Amino acid sequence: MRPAFAVGLVFAGCCSNVIFLELLARKHPGCGNIVTFAQFLFIAVEGFLFEADLGRKQPAIPIRYYAVMVAMFFTVSVVNNYALNLNIAMPLHMIFRSGSLIANMILGIIILKKRYSIFKYTSIALVSLGIFICTFMSAKQVTSQSSSSENDGFQAFLRWLLGIGALTFALLMSARMGIFQETLYKQFGKHSKEALFYNHALPLPGFIFLASDIYDHAVLFNKSELYQVPVIGVTVPIMWFYLLMNVITQYVCIRGVFILTTECASLTVTLVVTLRKFVSLIFSILYFQNPFTLWHWLGTLFVFTGTLMYSEVWNNLGTTKSQPQKDKKN
């Protein structure tokens, strides 16, 4: 029952989160910092109350290790959200972030000296090809949709290139953080809820450097049109409502993933998260009518097929089906 509930949380939370994030980004493309800050603050307060027991509970993993992890996590979160300011469309944003397997494999080979099967290299090649196709087609759209002025078009393309660079950096940094977490968990055991709290609480002082931008967008949010919240009937600026819903749905999604990691095998978690990304992508395309060509669909197919190949879903499903037959024979 709990795994089914967790899957429901992941799909409901993450798909809704994408909608509210895009509503925010479309109205104010530069709002990435205030969104990141609100998400971090909400999860940190919840963790302080229920995980850290108002600061009375000692962490199982020393704070100095969390400090390193937090520096990486904070950087990844800020850069990923800031990329939306740089002519990066939401569908491309989601597809690009689905390429985390590539970064994990590259850094795993370099840092952990891992070796993989031909099957896994093939799956990564599919993911890479899919991301390249989607990125290349998005580049053509950026140049064609820009102003007729050649100078404006070139500037828009440069901003888009900077956005691609930001996403690439965040992808590699996220993979490096995953390797660091893996080594910590081997040494101290898994404490994912504790890690969730410290990853969001410790970076909060870092938002001081972004305070000016956060304040400016808070002022802009206050000036947005008023919206009457259903059921409770309270009237608030609509951008604050979008932000609140984004934060709540982000928390629901994270909680769902946390329950899955404690109740299911890692393969199941990978499959659910992959399917969730695909459903979120469909939501974004259909709900917001984002431009998505046949080439984009082909690239998306390569990305998700490669991801499923990497996680060896079909092999494991075949093993699961054959297991009951063996039991009957015995």
Side-chain angles (χ1 to χ4, degrees), residues 288-299:
F288 292 101
Q289 298 182 339
N290 282 310
F292 216 71
T293 65
L294 283 175
W295 284 105
H296 284 95
W297 282 115
L298 180 63

Side-chain angles (χ1 to χ4, degrees), residues 31-44 74 77-78 81 200 203-208 210-211 214-215 218 240 243 246-247:
C31 68
N33 290 331
I34 192 172
V35 171
T36 308
F37 173 67
Q39 291 173 350
F40 273 55
L41 182 63
F42 184 88
I43 294 173
F74 176 75
S77 298
V78 171
N81 280 335
H200 288 81
L204 287 177
F207 284 100
I208 292 174
L210 306 173
I214 292 171
Y215 175 77
W240 285 114
L243 182 62
N246 174 267
V247 168

Side-chain angles (χ1 to χ4, degrees), residues 34 89 110 130 196 239 289 292 302:
I34 192 172
I110 295 172
L196 182 67
M239 294 301 291
Q289 298 182 339
F292 216 71
F302 283 164

Side-chain angles (χ1 to χ4, degrees), residues 219-280:
V219 172
L220 290 173
F221 281 18
N222 285 335
K223 293 178 180 177
S224 62
E225 61 185 278
L226 295 178
Y227 174 75
Q228 187 173 31
V229 181
V231 183
I232 60 175
V234 176
T235 301
V236 296
I238 195 166
M239 294 301 291
W240 285 114
F241 173 73
Y242 289 159
L243 182 62
L244 176 64
M245 294 306 297
N246 174 267
V247 168
I248 292 173
T249 52
Q250 172 80 356
Y251 175 74
V252 169
C253 178
I254 288 175
R255 288 292 293 150
V257 172
F258 168 73
I259 295 172
L260 271 183
T261 56
T262 57
E263 296 286 332
C264 305
S266 59
L267 172 68
T268 306
V269 178
T270 302
L271 180 58
V272 170
V273 170
T274 301
L275 291 175
R276 190 276 302 169
K277 287 178 180 177
F278 185 75
V279 173
S280 296

Side-chain angles (χ1 to χ4, degrees), residues 31-322:
C31 68
N33 290 331
I34 192 172
V35 171
T36 308
F37 173 67
Q39 291 173 350
F40 273 55
L41 182 63
F42 184 88
I43 294 173
V45 170
E46 188 274 342
F48 183 71
L49 294 175
F50 301 107
E51 171 60 25
D53 192 22
L54 300 176
R56 291 191 289 265
K57 182 181 175 182
Q58 289 296 313
I61 299 175
I63 291 292
R64 66 179 181 276
Y65 293 113
Y66 277 126
V68 177
M69 193 191 306
V70 158
M72 291 187 279
F73 183 69
F74 176 75
T75 303
V76 168
S77 298
V78 171
V79 171
N80 267 328
N81 280 335
Y82 188 74
L84 293 171
N85 306 355
L86 301 169
N87 285 349
I88 300 295
M90 186 62 75
L92 179 62
H93 194 274
M94 286 187 282
I95 293 167
F96 214 93
R97 291 178 68 179
S98 298
S100 55
L101 291 177
I102 306 170
N104 287 337
M105 176 176 277
I106 292 171
L107 293 187
I109 292 171
I110 295 172
I111 298 173
L112 300 179
K113 310 300 180 186
K114 286 185 177 181
R115 292 295 176 266
Y116 299 90
S117 65
I118 295 296
F119 189 75
K120 287 193 181 292
Y121 285 121
T122 304
S123 67
I124 290 301
L126 267 179
V127 174
S128 304
L129 179 60
I131 290 176
F132 173 78
I133 291 172
C134 290
T135 305
F136 181 74
M137 296 310 297
S138 296
K140 292 179 69 175
Q141 286 178 347
V142 168
T143 52
S144 64
Q145 290 173 2
S146 298
S147 168
S148 56
S149 166
E150 189 175 322
N151 189 46
D152 287 348
F154 181 69
Q155 287 183 351
F157 183 69
L158 282 181
R159 281 178 63 81
W160 178 85
L161 276 182
L162 187 59
I164 292 298
L167 287 177
T168 304
F169 171 79
L171 204 62
L172 291 171
M173 181 65 79
S174 180
R176 181 64 185 90
M177 184 179 71
I179 291 173
F180 185 70
Q181 281 179 317
E182 188 179 326
T183 56
L184 280 186
Y185 290 158
K186 281 181 181 178
Q187 184 177 352
F188 298 101
K190 284 190 175 182
H191 303 279
S192 51
K193 197 172 181 184
E194 177 186 287
L196 182 67
F197 163 63
Y198 283 104
N199 278 345
H200 288 81
L202 292 181
L204 287 177
F207 284 100
I208 292 174
F209 299 104
L210 306 173
S212 177
D213 181 72
I214 292 171
Y215 175 77
D216 290 342
H217 280 89
V219 172
L220 290 173
F221 281 18
N222 285 335
K223 293 178 180 177
S224 62
E225 61 185 278
L226 295 178
Y227 174 75
Q228 187 173 31
V229 181
V231 183
I232 60 175
V234 176
T235 301
V236 296
I238 195 166
M239 294 301 291
W240 285 114
F241 173 73
Y242 289 159
L243 182 62
L244 176 64
M245 294 306 297
N246 174 267
V247 168
I248 292 173
T249 52
Q250 172 80 356
Y251 175 74
V252 169
C253 178
I254 288 175
R255 288 292 293 150
V257 172
F258 168 73
I259 295 172
L260 271 183
T261 56
T262 57
E263 296 286 332
C264 305
S266 59
L267 172 68
T268 306
V269 178
T270 302
L271 180 58
V272 170
V273 170
T274 301
L275 291 175
R276 190 276 302 169
K277 287 178 180 177
F278 185 75
V279 173
S280 296
L281 180 65
I282 302 299
F283 253 81
S284 176
I285 295 164
L286 297 180
Y287 188 84
F288 292 101
Q289 298 182 339
N290 282 310
F292 216 71
T293 65
L294 283 175
W295 284 105
H296 284 95
W297 282 115
L298 180 63
T300 302
L301 179 65
F302 283 164
V303 169
F304 288 104
T305 302
T307 301
L308 294 177
M309 282 176 62
Y310 185 90
S311 59
E312 298 179 345
V313 169
W314 294 286
N315 292 347
N316 283 273
L317 288 177
T319 305
T320 305
K321 285 180 180 178
S322 63

